[in-house]
Amino acid sequence: MIQKPLISIIVPVYNVENYINKCVDSIKNQSYSNLEIILVDDGSTDRSGEICDELAINDNRIIVIHKKNGGLSDARNSGLKIMKGEYIGFVDSDDYIDSNMYEHMLRYMLDNQLDVVMCGTSSVFGEKEVTSKKFDSYILTDKEDIIEDVYAKSYEGSTTTVWNKLFKRKIFSKLYFKLNTTFEDDEIVLSWINRVSRYGRISNPFYKYVQRDGSITHRKKYKSSIFDVINIYEKSRSIIYRDYRKVSESVNYRYWWAHRCALDMLLGCVDYREHINDAYQIQSRIRKNIISIINNKYNSEKQLLAYVLIALNLNIYKKAKDIYDKNSV
């Protein structure tokens, strides 16, 4: 009998006592059972660490690491250092996954000899589930096509995140997440792309991304790390301009998305008025480049409207976005 490949699933855990059971249950109950489930308790101050230990008692596939708090990147890196699987997946501890996710993704990888495969996602708002724009399943082998797909087609799913993907082990050989950044997935994306020869997508929305107050990307008070995302894509843009000039428009799309992302987070802070000059700086950058932004072929009509509103008036943009967000939930 042929041994099924081992998949290592790394789950960073921090203060998610109300979510961790559902997350781990969705992994334990996968139709594909040859899993190594690594739960990294990153210094939780609630019962998350205890719950991890309790879950491990009844399932010998679960390994629990308890460590001093070091952030999401440090927790993931701790898992990468001990994992034994031929394939690697990541799941955030407040999210959950479809019961067939890894069976389907591994089969697609093996059938098509892929280095990485990405699935679709659904955002979960309480009891409501909203699926990202549906995309076709396909395979890419040209490096510039892969860069374009990851950087410019984020409207079709979470293209730069690691949690809706399955990687061959070799992709993360001596590759670790950068510490002390809020956008660790975006920071590492070009590094893993450079190691990929065959990349694939499957359309199924297997990954369930839970939107909750208090998570890293839904902060309530201003922090300067909001601007990490702009710095990351500034760096990526210079590299792609140098090495992959043909797809520079795709990274420009993502570069200006990063500005809008930082602005949205800033305007969403309870104390944003104390830092309004930072918002005006982003607005000024967008105003100066509005023509090239509008002419970027990857922007949707909704995204173009957002940039125009930002350039015209921040108060109007904020009110429009607040209404849109409220109606989207």
Side-chain angles (χ1 to χ4, degrees):
M1 183 176 178
I2 299 175
Q3 178 68 35
K4 292 182 177 179
L6 178 66
I7 301 177
S8 294
I9 312 299
I10 298 172
V11 184
V13 177
Y14 181 72
N15 288 359
V16 285
E17 61 183 359
N18 295 325
Y19 299 87
I20 187 63
N21 276 299
K22 185 170 185 175
C23 172
V24 178
D25 283 348
S26 73
I27 302 171
K28 286 168 53 181
N29 296 327
Q30 287 289 294
S31 56
Y32 188 86
S33 60
N34 194 23
L35 304 174
E36 175 186 56
I37 306 168
I38 303 173
L39 308 180
V40 185
D41 171 29
D42 191 37
S44 296
T45 57
D46 64 1
R47 290 196 65 251
S48 296
E50 296 173 44
I51 295 171
C52 288
D53 290 335
E54 292 166 3
L55 290 166
I57 291 172
N58 298 315
D59 194 322
N60 60 14
R61 298 174 301 170
I62 296 177
I63 299 169
V64 180
I65 299 173
H66 296 284
K67 59 179 289 298
K68 182 180 178 181
N69 180 255
L72 180 61
S73 291
D74 193 43
R76 284 178 174 168
N77 291 342
S78 296
L80 285 170
K81 289 172 184 176
I82 69 161
M83 53 83 62
K84 297 182 176 67
E86 298 171 58
Y87 296 88
I88 310 170
F90 299 89
V91 178
D92 284 356
S93 54
D94 45 0
D95 300 333
Y96 58 96
I97 58 177
D98 186 275
S99 60
N100 297 309
M101 175 169 164
Y102 287 117
E103 180 182 5
H104 279 264
M105 293 179 80
L106 181 61
R107 184 188 305 136
Y108 194 72
M109 285 190 80
L110 295 174
D111 288 349
N112 297 285
Q113 298 179 305
L114 303 178
D115 298 312
V116 60
V117 63
M118 170 186 138
C119 71
T121 64
S122 293
S123 293
V124 180
F125 302 86
E127 299 300 318
K128 184 179 179 182
E129 187 174 311
V130 180
T131 302
S132 300
K133 182 178 177 181
K134 187 174 176 61
F135 54 81
D136 295 327
S137 299
Y138 54 80
I139 296 164
L140 300 174
T141 58
D142 179 82
K143 187 71 70 180
E144 290 180 334
D145 288 343
I146 296 171
I147 290 172
E148 180 186 31
D149 195 80
V150 173
Y151 278 97
K153 293 190 177 180
S154 54
Y155 61 87
E156 295 182 347
S158 301
T159 51
T160 60
T161 58
V162 296
W163 37 251
N164 60 338
K165 297 175 180 63
L166 185 63
F167 298 88
K168 269 189 176 178
R169 180 191 180 103
K170 69 175 185 179
I171 303 303
F172 275 88
S173 175
K174 298 180 181 179
L175 178 62
Y176 297 102
F177 293 89
K178 184 178 179 181
L179 303 181
N180 303 317
T181 180
T182 305
F183 290 84
E184 52 284 307
D185 289 13
D186 297 270
E187 195 280 331
I188 204 173
V189 65
L190 193 55
S191 297
W192 65 253
I193 287 176
N194 281 328
R195 298 179 176 207
V196 170
S197 298
R198 295 180 62 82
Y199 162 94
R201 284 194 186 210
I202 53 176
S203 59
N204 312 64
F206 288 134
Y207 194 93
K208 313 302 179 183
Y209 176 44
V210 177
Q211 306 282 335
R212 68 181 182 96
D213 292 337
S215 68
I216 291 175
T217 50
H218 293 79
R219 64 177 75 255
K220 293 294 184 182
K221 199 166 183 180
Y222 174 90
K223 287 188 178 181
S224 60
S225 57
I226 283 173
F227 299 98
D228 287 354
V229 65
I230 296 177
N231 298 329
I232 286 166
Y233 282 106
E234 188 123 27
K235 178 182 175 182
S236 297
R237 190 168 75 153
S238 65
I239 294 170
I240 289 174
Y241 269 37
R242 183 191 69 207
D243 297 339
Y244 304 104
R245 187 75 188 184
K246 180 182 172 183
V247 290
S248 58
E249 191 172 9
S250 65
V251 74
N252 272 332
Y253 164 82
R254 195 70 179 173
Y255 176 70
W256 291 111
W257 165 87
H259 283 73
R260 204 176 79 243
C261 177
L263 179 63
D264 288 348
M265 287 192 294
L266 195 161
L267 294 177
C269 296
V270 292
D271 55 347
Y272 80 91
R273 293 186 184 280
E274 298 174 25
H275 307 276
I276 197 65
N277 286 338
D278 289 340
Y280 288 145
Q281 286 182 24
I282 295 175
Q283 180 191 42
S284 177
R285 281 191 179 188
I286 289 174
R287 274 180 177 169
K288 289 176 182 177
N289 293 275
I290 193 64
I291 300 302
S292 64
I293 292 171
I294 289 174
N295 288 330
N296 191 300
K297 64 182 180 181
Y298 298 111
N299 280 313
S300 66
E301 290 182 3
K302 183 178 73 175
Q303 290 167 329
L304 290 174
L305 176 60
Y307 287 118
V308 170
L309 288 177
I310 290 168
L312 289 174
N313 188 292
L314 280 184
N315 287 327
I316 293 175
Y317 171 72
K318 186 179 188 311
K319 289 177 182 178
K321 187 175 186 306
D322 288 344
I323 293 170
Y324 175 81
D325 289 345
K326 185 177 180 180
N327 291 332
S328 296
V329 177

